[in-house]
PDB file of all heavy atoms in Angstrom:
ATOM      1  N   GLU A   1     -45.776  -2.812 -24.977  1.00  0.00           N
ATOM      2  CA  GLU A   1     -45.246  -4.137 -25.320  1.00  0.00           C
ATOM      3  C   GLU A   1     -46.395  -5.146 -25.242  1.00  0.00           C
ATOM      4  O   GLU A   1     -47.372  -4.967 -24.514  1.00  0.00           O
ATOM      5  CB  GLU A   1     -44.104  -4.579 -24.386  1.00  0.00           C
ATOM      6  CG  GLU A   1     -44.542  -4.814 -22.980  1.00  0.00           C
ATOM      7  CD  GLU A   1     -43.427  -5.433 -22.123  1.00  0.00           C
ATOM      8  OE1 GLU A   1     -42.456  -5.823 -22.713  1.00  0.00           O
ATOM      9  OE2 GLU A   1     -43.610  -5.545 -20.895  1.00  0.00           O
ATOM     10  N   TYR A   2     -46.252  -6.222 -26.012  1.00  0.00           N
ATOM     11  CA  TYR A   2     -47.241  -7.283 -25.950  1.00  0.00           C
ATOM     12  C   TYR A   2     -46.794  -8.267 -24.884  1.00  0.00           C
ATOM     13  O   TYR A   2     -45.632  -8.739 -24.873  1.00  0.00           O
ATOM     14  CB  TYR A   2     -47.325  -7.978 -27.307  1.00  0.00           C
ATOM     15  CG  TYR A   2     -48.411  -9.063 -27.329  1.00  0.00           C
ATOM     16  CD1 TYR A   2     -49.697  -8.704 -27.798  1.00  0.00           C
ATOM     17  CD2 TYR A   2     -48.149 -10.392 -26.935  1.00  0.00           C
ATOM     18  CE1 TYR A   2     -50.731  -9.698 -27.782  1.00  0.00           C
ATOM     19  CE2 TYR A   2     -49.197 -11.317 -26.930  1.00  0.00           C
ATOM     20  CZ  TYR A   2     -50.421 -10.962 -27.383  1.00  0.00           C
ATOM     21  OH  TYR A   2     -51.416 -11.936 -27.464  1.00  0.00           O
ATOM     22  N   THR A   3     -47.656  -8.629 -23.926  1.00  0.00           N
ATOM     23  CA  THR A   3     -47.300  -9.508 -22.871  1.00  0.00           C
ATOM     24  C   THR A   3     -48.513 -10.260 -22.391  1.00  0.00           C
ATOM     25  O   THR A   3     -49.641 -10.026 -22.842  1.00  0.00           O
ATOM     26  CB  THR A   3     -46.635  -8.740 -21.716  1.00  0.00           C
ATOM     27  OG1 THR A   3     -46.113  -9.677 -20.739  1.00  0.00           O
ATOM     28  CG2 THR A   3     -47.651  -7.878 -21.008  1.00  0.00           C
ATOM     29  N   VAL A   4     -48.317 -11.197 -21.457  1.00  0.00           N
ATOM     30  CA  VAL A   4     -49.428 -11.938 -20.833  1.00  0.00           C
ATOM     31  C   VAL A   4     -49.379 -11.719 -19.345  1.00  0.00           C
ATOM     32  O   VAL A   4     -48.291 -11.662 -18.731  1.00  0.00           O
ATOM     33  CB  VAL A   4     -49.352 -13.433 -21.149  1.00  0.00           C
ATOM     34  CG1 VAL A   4     -49.649 -13.679 -22.615  1.00  0.00           C
ATOM     35  CG2 VAL A   4     -48.018 -14.046 -20.758  1.00  0.00           C
ATOM     36  N   ILE A   5     -50.561 -11.532 -18.746  1.00  0.00           N
ATOM     37  CA  ILE A   5     -50.640 -11.200 -17.315  1.00  0.00           C
ATOM     38  C   ILE A   5     -51.662 -12.177 -16.707  1.00  0.00           C
ATOM     39  O   ILE A   5     -52.777 -12.323 -17.242  1.00  0.00           O
ATOM     40  CB  ILE A   5     -51.080  -9.756 -17.090  1.00  0.00           C
ATOM     41  CG1 ILE A   5     -50.067  -8.785 -17.685  1.00  0.00           C
ATOM     42  CG2 ILE A   5     -51.217  -9.499 -15.563  1.00  0.00           C
ATOM     43  CD1 ILE A   5     -50.464  -7.359 -17.619  1.00  0.00           C
ATOM     44  N   GLY A   6     -51.299 -12.819 -15.615  1.00  0.00           N
ATOM     45  CA  GLY A   6     -52.217 -13.733 -14.969  1.00  0.00           C
ATOM     46  C   GLY A   6     -51.537 -14.731 -14.051  1.00  0.00           C
ATOM     47  O   GLY A   6     -50.299 -14.735 -13.912  1.00  0.00           O
ATOM     48  N   ASP A   7     -52.329 -15.507 -13.352  1.00  0.00           N
ATOM     49  CA  ASP A   7     -51.784 -16.388 -12.398  1.00  0.00           C
ATOM     50  C   ASP A   7     -50.806 -17.415 -12.996  1.00  0.00           C
ATOM     51  O   ASP A   7     -49.828 -17.752 -12.292  1.00  0.00           O
ATOM     52  CB  ASP A   7     -52.946 -17.158 -11.688  1.00  0.00           C
ATOM     53  CG  ASP A   7     -52.460 -18.066 -10.591  1.00  0.00           C
ATOM     54  OD1 ASP A   7     -51.939 -17.540  -9.574  1.00  0.00           O
ATOM     55  OD2 ASP A   7     -52.586 -19.297 -10.754  1.00  0.00           O
ATOM     56  N   PRO A   8     -51.059 -17.958 -14.205  1.00  0.00           N
ATOM     57  CA  PRO A   8     -50.044 -18.934 -14.750  1.00  0.00           C
ATOM     58  C   PRO A   8     -48.624 -18.355 -14.824  1.00  0.00           C
ATOM     59  O   PRO A   8     -47.656 -19.082 -14.637  1.00  0.00           O
ATOM     60  CB  PRO A   8     -50.577 -19.248 -16.129  1.00  0.00           C
ATOM     61  CG  PRO A   8     -52.069 -19.022 -16.010  1.00  0.00           C
ATOM     62  CD  PRO A   8     -52.194 -17.858 -15.098  1.00  0.00           C
ATOM     63  N   VAL A   9     -48.488 -17.027 -15.072  1.00  0.00           N
ATOM     64  CA  VAL A   9     -47.221 -16.416 -15.144  1.00  0.00           C
ATOM     65  C   VAL A   9     -46.540 -16.450 -13.789  1.00  0.00           C
ATOM     66  O   VAL A   9     -45.347 -16.818 -13.615  1.00  0.00           O
ATOM     67  CB  VAL A   9     -47.275 -14.949 -15.697  1.00  0.00           C
ATOM     68  CG1 VAL A   9     -45.912 -14.323 -15.755  1.00  0.00           C
ATOM     69  CG2 VAL A   9     -47.913 -14.973 -17.077  1.00  0.00           C
ATOM     70  N   ASN A  10     -47.285 -16.054 -12.774  1.00  0.00           N
ATOM     71  CA  ASN A  10     -46.799 -16.074 -11.412  1.00  0.00           C
ATOM     72  C   ASN A  10     -46.427 -17.478 -10.971  1.00  0.00           C
ATOM     73  O   ASN A  10     -45.395 -17.723 -10.315  1.00  0.00           O
ATOM     74  CB  ASN A  10     -47.777 -15.436 -10.471  1.00  0.00           C
ATOM     75  CG  ASN A  10     -48.070 -13.988 -10.813  1.00  0.00           C
ATOM     76  OD1 ASN A  10     -47.218 -13.313 -11.293  1.00  0.00           O
ATOM     77  ND2 ASN A  10     -49.320 -13.603 -10.523  1.00  0.00           N
ATOM     78  N   GLU A  11     -47.287 -18.449 -11.304  1.00  0.00           N
ATOM     79  CA  GLU A  11     -47.035 -19.799 -10.871  1.00  0.00           C
ATOM     80  C   GLU A  11     -45.778 -20.352 -11.540  1.00  0.00           C
ATOM     81  O   GLU A  11     -44.980 -21.039 -10.879  1.00  0.00           O
ATOM     82  CB  GLU A  11     -48.252 -20.687 -11.232  1.00  0.00           C
ATOM     83  CG  GLU A  11     -48.154 -22.072 -10.648  1.00  0.00           C
ATOM     84  CD  GLU A  11     -49.452 -22.872 -10.852  1.00  0.00           C
ATOM     85  OE1 GLU A  11     -49.774 -23.214 -12.046  1.00  0.00           O
ATOM     86  OE2 GLU A  11     -50.142 -23.133  -9.894  1.00  0.00           O
ATOM     87  N   ALA A  12     -45.590 -20.094 -12.824  1.00  0.00           N
ATOM     88  CA  ALA A  12     -44.395 -20.573 -13.516  1.00  0.00           C
ATOM     89  C   ALA A  12     -43.123 -20.003 -12.875  1.00  0.00           C
ATOM     90  O   ALA A  12     -42.094 -20.643 -12.713  1.00  0.00           O
ATOM     91  CB  ALA A  12     -44.438 -20.265 -15.035  1.00  0.00           C
ATOM     92  N   ALA A  13     -43.158 -18.695 -12.515  1.00  0.00           N
ATOM     93  CA  ALA A  13     -42.050 -18.060 -11.861  1.00  0.00           C
ATOM     94  C   ALA A  13     -41.753 -18.693 -10.511  1.00  0.00           C
ATOM     95  O   ALA A  13     -40.572 -18.918 -10.162  1.00  0.00           O
ATOM     96  CB  ALA A  13     -42.291 -16.550 -11.710  1.00  0.00           C
ATOM     97  N   ARG A  14     -42.793 -18.976  -9.732  1.00  0.00           N
ATOM     98  CA  ARG A  14     -42.604 -19.623  -8.401  1.00  0.00           C
ATOM     99  C   ARG A  14     -42.023 -21.011  -8.561  1.00  0.00           C
ATOM    100  O   ARG A  14     -41.170 -21.457  -7.802  1.00  0.00           O
ATOM    101  CB  ARG A  14     -43.908 -19.626  -7.629  1.00  0.00           C
ATOM    102  CG  ARG A  14     -44.557 -18.287  -7.390  1.00  0.00           C
ATOM    103  CD  ARG A  14     -43.685 -17.453  -6.462  1.00  0.00           C
ATOM    104  NE  ARG A  14     -44.362 -16.191  -6.150  1.00  0.00           N
ATOM    105  CZ  ARG A  14     -44.178 -15.072  -6.781  1.00  0.00           C
ATOM    106  NH1 ARG A  14     -43.310 -15.047  -7.852  1.00  0.00           N
ATOM    107  NH2 ARG A  14     -44.822 -13.959  -6.449  1.00  0.00           N
ATOM    108  N   LEU A  15     -42.552 -21.752  -9.562  1.00  0.00           N
ATOM    109  CA  LEU A  15     -42.028 -23.121  -9.793  1.00  0.00           C
ATOM    110  C   LEU A  15     -40.599 -23.060 -10.226  1.00  0.00           C
ATOM    111  O   LEU A  15     -39.792 -23.971  -9.874  1.00  0.00           O
ATOM    112  CB  LEU A  15     -42.842 -23.786 -10.852  1.00  0.00           C
ATOM    113  CG  LEU A  15     -44.315 -24.199 -10.432  1.00  0.00           C
ATOM    114  CD1 LEU A  15     -45.089 -24.734 -11.578  1.00  0.00           C
ATOM    115  CD2 LEU A  15     -44.227 -25.307  -9.316  1.00  0.00           C
ATOM    116  N   CYS A  16     -40.211 -22.033 -11.018  1.00  0.00           N
ATOM    117  CA  CYS A  16     -38.811 -21.908 -11.435  1.00  0.00           C
ATOM    118  C   CYS A  16     -37.915 -21.664 -10.224  1.00  0.00           C
ATOM    119  O   CYS A  16     -36.821 -22.268 -10.106  1.00  0.00           O
ATOM    120  CB  CYS A  16     -38.657 -20.779 -12.479  1.00  0.00           C
ATOM    121  SG  CYS A  16     -36.996 -20.489 -13.018  1.00  0.00           S
ATOM    122  N   GLU A  17     -38.364 -20.819  -9.306  1.00  0.00           N
ATOM    123  CA  GLU A  17     -37.565 -20.550  -8.100  1.00  0.00           C
ATOM    124  C   GLU A  17     -37.397 -21.901  -7.295  1.00  0.00           C
ATOM    125  O   GLU A  17     -36.291 -22.172  -6.783  1.00  0.00           O
ATOM    126  CB  GLU A  17     -38.271 -19.530  -7.185  1.00  0.00           C
ATOM    127  CG  GLU A  17     -38.267 -18.127  -7.771  1.00  0.00           C
ATOM    128  CD  GLU A  17     -39.023 -17.184  -6.815  1.00  0.00           C
ATOM    129  OE1 GLU A  17     -39.364 -17.598  -5.706  1.00  0.00           O
ATOM    130  OE2 GLU A  17     -39.172 -15.974  -7.199  1.00  0.00           O
ATOM    131  N   LEU A  18     -38.478 -22.652  -7.218  1.00  0.00           N
ATOM    132  CA  LEU A  18     -38.421 -23.896  -6.463  1.00  0.00           C
ATOM    133  C   LEU A  18     -37.515 -24.922  -7.155  1.00  0.00           C
ATOM    134  O   LEU A  18     -36.742 -25.652  -6.492  1.00  0.00           O
ATOM    135  CB  LEU A  18     -39.830 -24.438  -6.256  1.00  0.00           C
ATOM    136  CG  LEU A  18     -39.956 -25.793  -5.504  1.00  0.00           C
ATOM    137  CD1 LEU A  18     -39.489 -25.614  -4.073  1.00  0.00           C
ATOM    138  CD2 LEU A  18     -41.406 -26.264  -5.495  1.00  0.00           C
ATOM    139  N   ALA A  19     -37.611 -24.980  -8.501  1.00  0.00           N
ATOM    140  CA  ALA A  19     -36.799 -25.901  -9.288  1.00  0.00           C
ATOM    141  C   ALA A  19     -35.293 -25.631  -9.102  1.00  0.00           C
ATOM    142  O   ALA A  19     -34.508 -26.585  -9.125  1.00  0.00           O
ATOM    143  CB  ALA A  19     -37.177 -25.824 -10.743  1.00  0.00           C
ATOM    144  N   LYS A  20     -34.917 -24.404  -8.877  1.00  0.00           N
ATOM    145  CA  LYS A  20     -33.507 -24.054  -8.707  1.00  0.00           C
ATOM    146  C   LYS A  20     -32.960 -24.636  -7.444  1.00  0.00           C
ATOM    147  O   LYS A  20     -31.749 -24.809  -7.276  1.00  0.00           O
ATOM    148  CB  LYS A  20     -33.336 -22.577  -8.718  1.00  0.00           C
ATOM    149  CG  LYS A  20     -33.632 -21.906 -10.092  1.00  0.00           C
ATOM    150  CD  LYS A  20     -33.801 -20.419 -10.052  1.00  0.00           C
ATOM    151  CE  LYS A  20     -32.597 -19.686  -9.628  1.00  0.00           C
ATOM    152  NZ  LYS A  20     -32.750 -18.230  -9.709  1.00  0.00           N
ATOM    153  N   GLN A  21     -33.873 -24.983  -6.474  1.00  0.00           N
ATOM    154  CA  GLN A  21     -33.426 -25.552  -5.207  1.00  0.00           C
ATOM    155  C   GLN A  21     -33.542 -27.066  -5.167  1.00  0.00           C
ATOM    156  O   GLN A  21     -33.223 -27.685  -4.114  1.00  0.00           O
ATOM    157  CB  GLN A  21     -34.281 -24.941  -4.079  1.00  0.00           C
ATOM    158  CG  GLN A  21     -34.220 -23.424  -4.021  1.00  0.00           C
ATOM    159  CD  GLN A  21     -35.287 -22.808  -3.149  1.00  0.00           C
ATOM    160  OE1 GLN A  21     -35.900 -23.549  -2.303  1.00  0.00           O
ATOM    161  NE2 GLN A  21     -35.508 -21.506  -3.287  1.00  0.00           N
ATOM    162  N   ARG A  22     -34.085 -27.702  -6.183  1.00  0.00           N
ATOM    163  CA  ARG A  22     -34.341 -29.139  -6.211  1.00  0.00           C
ATOM    164  C   ARG A  22     -33.423 -29.825  -7.233  1.00  0.00           C
ATOM    165  O   ARG A  22     -33.073 -29.209  -8.210  1.00  0.00           O
ATOM    166  CB  ARG A  22     -35.832 -29.424  -6.463  1.00  0.00           C
ATOM    167  CG  ARG A  22     -36.717 -28.872  -5.377  1.00  0.00           C
ATOM    168  CD  ARG A  22     -38.204 -29.128  -5.684  1.00  0.00           C
ATOM    169  NE  ARG A  22     -38.459 -30.508  -5.968  1.00  0.00           N
ATOM    170  CZ  ARG A  22     -39.507 -31.158  -5.531  1.00  0.00           C
ATOM    171  NH1 ARG A  22     -40.360 -30.551  -4.666  1.00  0.00           N
ATOM    172  NH2 ARG A  22     -39.712 -32.414  -5.805  1.00  0.00           N
ATOM    173  N   PRO A  23     -33.164 -31.094  -7.085  1.00  0.00           N
ATOM    174  CA  PRO A  23     -32.293 -31.796  -7.983  1.00  0.00           C
ATOM    175  C   PRO A  23     -32.918 -32.008  -9.360  1.00  0.00           C
ATOM    176  O   PRO A  23     -32.211 -32.113 -10.334  1.00  0.00           O
ATOM    177  CB  PRO A  23     -32.048 -33.107  -7.304  1.00  0.00           C
ATOM    178  CG  PRO A  23     -33.187 -33.331  -6.349  1.00  0.00           C
ATOM    179  CD  PRO A  23     -33.546 -31.942  -5.883  1.00  0.00           C
ATOM    180  N   GLU A  24     -34.272 -32.001  -9.481  1.00  0.00           N
ATOM    181  CA  GLU A  24     -34.888 -32.238 -10.780  1.00  0.00           C
ATOM    182  C   GLU A  24     -34.645 -31.070 -11.746  1.00  0.00           C
ATOM    183  O   GLU A  24     -34.641 -31.223 -12.974  1.00  0.00           O
ATOM    184  CB  GLU A  24     -36.385 -32.481 -10.634  1.00  0.00           C
ATOM    185  CG  GLU A  24     -36.747 -33.718  -9.880  1.00  0.00           C
ATOM    186  CD  GLU A  24     -36.928 -33.415  -8.409  1.00  0.00           C
ATOM    187  OE1 GLU A  24     -36.526 -32.280  -7.954  1.00  0.00           O
ATOM    188  OE2 GLU A  24     -37.475 -34.272  -7.684  1.00  0.00           O
ATOM    189  N   ARG A  25     -34.565 -29.818 -11.221  1.00  0.00           N
ATOM    190  CA  ARG A  25     -34.321 -28.610 -12.003  1.00  0.00           C
ATOM    191  C   ARG A  25     -35.490 -28.242 -12.910  1.00  0.00           C
ATOM    192  O   ARG A  25     -35.461 -27.280 -13.621  1.00  0.00           O
ATOM    193  CB  ARG A  25     -33.088 -28.695 -12.870  1.00  0.00           C
ATOM    194  CG  ARG A  25     -31.778 -28.986 -12.062  1.00  0.00           C
ATOM    195  CD  ARG A  25     -31.513 -27.934 -11.049  1.00  0.00           C
ATOM    196  NE  ARG A  25     -30.168 -28.067 -10.473  1.00  0.00           N
ATOM    197  CZ  ARG A  25     -29.798 -27.662  -9.291  1.00  0.00           C
ATOM    198  NH1 ARG A  25     -30.695 -27.176  -8.473  1.00  0.00           N
ATOM    199  NH2 ARG A  25     -28.587 -27.826  -8.864  1.00  0.00           N
ATOM    200  N   LEU A  26     -36.534 -29.033 -12.987  1.00  0.00           N
ATOM    201  CA  LEU A  26     -37.655 -28.823 -13.873  1.00  0.00           C
ATOM    202  C   LEU A  26     -38.938 -29.272 -13.232  1.00  0.00           C
ATOM    203  O   LEU A  26     -39.141 -30.431 -12.861  1.00  0.00           O
ATOM    204  CB  LEU A  26     -37.465 -29.600 -15.217  1.00  0.00           C
ATOM    205  CG  LEU A  26     -38.701 -29.656 -16.174  1.00  0.00           C
ATOM    206  CD1 LEU A  26     -39.136 -28.265 -16.562  1.00  0.00           C
ATOM    207  CD2 LEU A  26     -38.280 -30.487 -17.413  1.00  0.00           C
ATOM    208  N   LEU A  27     -39.878 -28.316 -13.025  1.00  0.00           N
ATOM    209  CA  LEU A  27     -41.139 -28.594 -12.349  1.00  0.00           C
ATOM    210  C   LEU A  27     -42.274 -27.995 -13.178  1.00  0.00           C
ATOM    211  O   LEU A  27     -42.158 -26.921 -13.784  1.00  0.00           O
ATOM    212  CB  LEU A  27     -41.160 -27.906 -10.963  1.00  0.00           C
ATOM    213  CG  LEU A  27     -40.065 -28.376  -9.964  1.00  0.00           C
ATOM    214  CD1 LEU A  27     -40.143 -27.582  -8.671  1.00  0.00           C
ATOM    215  CD2 LEU A  27     -40.164 -29.869  -9.696  1.00  0.00           C
ATOM    216  N   ALA A  28     -43.354 -28.742 -13.195  1.00  0.00           N
ATOM    217  CA  ALA A  28     -44.620 -28.304 -13.879  1.00  0.00           C
ATOM    218  C   ALA A  28     -45.781 -28.421 -12.947  1.00  0.00           C
ATOM    219  O   ALA A  28     -45.812 -29.361 -12.117  1.00  0.00           O
ATOM    220  CB  ALA A  28     -44.815 -29.095 -15.162  1.00  0.00           C
ATOM    221  N   SER A  29     -46.793 -27.574 -13.077  1.00  0.00           N
ATOM    222  CA  SER A  29     -47.933 -27.634 -12.215  1.00  0.00           C
ATOM    223  C   SER A  29     -48.992 -28.624 -12.777  1.00  0.00           C
ATOM    224  O   SER A  29     -48.950 -28.964 -13.973  1.00  0.00           O
ATOM    225  CB  SER A  29     -48.637 -26.235 -12.154  1.00  0.00           C
ATOM    226  OG  SER A  29     -49.195 -25.897 -13.354  1.00  0.00           O
TER     227      SER A  29
END
């Protein structure tokens, strides 16, 4: 499969987890 691997992928996933716990629901680095 074609995919992307790297720190931005991990960071976006961690920000998504955090956003689910915050009222803004949307976070960007």
Side-chain angles (χ1 to χ4, degrees):
E1 68 171 351
Y2 185 92
T3 190
V4 292
I5 300 173
D7 184 66
V9 179
N10 298 328
E11 188 172 69
R14 300 294 183 267
L15 289 172
C16 179
E17 289 180 7
L18 182 61
K20 292 164 65 175
Q21 303 168 14
R22 296 178 55 137
E24 296 93 346
R25 304 299 191 208
L26 170 57
L27 300 177
S29 69

